[in-house]
Amino acid sequence: MHERTAASTHDAKPAILPPELTQETDAVPPLYLDTSTLDFSAITDTYTKIADPSKAVHPEFATEQHALTTSFARADGQQYIEAENIAEVGDAIITGPEGERYSIAAANFAALYEPLRGADGAVVPGAYLPKNQIKAMPNPTGREIVIDAPWGGQQHGEADCWLAESQVNGDRYIIEAAAFAQTYRLSER
């Protein structure tokens, strides 16, 4: 069982832990963080993904139900599982800058991404740029955390991860520090 934050309003849920944390070690288990207790209202800055055509995503669209495991390498090189989810038919499957794969529900994809347009204004087939804006904060616990992911299941984050709140659909989720640094910039006011 995970520890609970003082502000947590419900029982912690068991996490699907990566193998290195399920063995008998001196490792401290992740802290369960109830994201509904986080106050994003005081954050005035928003971030957007970098709208650089060279960083456009080229999603696959699921033609059948597909299980995905999103994993990252820790600083020591060991892989850990951030999240597991299911892409349903029509969902976009995206590969991120760190090689992580995740899905975005078909219903949310159009609200979060737009087709990339070339210099001539024509749509570049299969390429999309993000249009989501988020509010973000560094992990306030200073520890490895686990949250209930908006897509179902749980999501894990390192001590230096960021917590994001979509300004499009209100979803709250984790962004790993390296992925945040590579793909987000402060929005222009």
Side-chain angles (χ1 to χ4, degrees):
M1 213 37 101
H2 300 288
E3 291 181 40
R4 295 181 351 164
T5 60
S8 182
T9 58
H10 66 278
D11 291 333
K13 297 179 181 180
I16 301 169
L17 296 175
E20 64 270 14
L21 293 181
T22 59
Q23 300 167 3
E24 291 297 320
T25 67
D26 292 333
V28 177
L31 177 71
Y32 175 79
L33 180 64
D34 179 356
T35 60
S36 71
T37 65
L38 299 175
D39 184 8
F40 283 89
S41 66
I43 298 173
T44 57
D45 290 332
T46 61
Y47 295 85
T48 56
K49 284 192 173 180
I50 298 168
D52 176 347
S54 71
K55 296 183 183 203
V57 298
H58 301 271
E60 303 167 40
F61 290 93
T63 56
E64 60 184 32
Q65 193 177 63
H66 187 77
L68 292 171
T69 299
T70 304
S71 64
F72 285 92
R74 294 181 189 274
D76 63 8
Q78 285 189 306
Q79 286 292 116
Y80 82 97
I81 295 172
E82 181 192 64
E84 295 179 322
N85 63 355
I86 304 292
E88 300 294 341
V89 173
D91 289 355
I93 300 172
I94 296 175
T95 301
E98 298 288 308
E100 73 279 15
R101 289 174 49 85
Y102 57 94
S103 68
I104 297 178
N108 286 331
F109 187 76
L112 300 173
Y113 288 85
E114 61 191 357
L116 173 65
R117 295 191 176 274
D120 62 357
V123 170
V124 176
Y128 297 85
L129 287 175
K131 59 182 180 177
N132 187 23
Q133 289 206 358
I134 62 168
K135 288 185 176 182
M137 67 173 73
N139 176 355
T141 71
R143 291 194 33 204
E144 189 172 337
I145 58 172
V146 61
I147 67 168
D148 292 326
W151 52 82
Q154 293 186 320
Q155 186 180 19
H156 294 259
E158 297 277 305
D160 65 346
C161 70
W162 286 71
L163 291 144
E165 179 186 68
S166 169
Q167 300 305 285
V168 173
N169 61 17
D171 284 352
R172 291 180 173 190
Y173 50 92
I174 293 171
I175 303 172
E176 285 307 314
F180 186 81
Q182 289 180 33
T183 58
Y184 285 87
R185 66 169 169 74
L186 197 57
S187 299
E188 296 177 8
R189 293 181 186 256

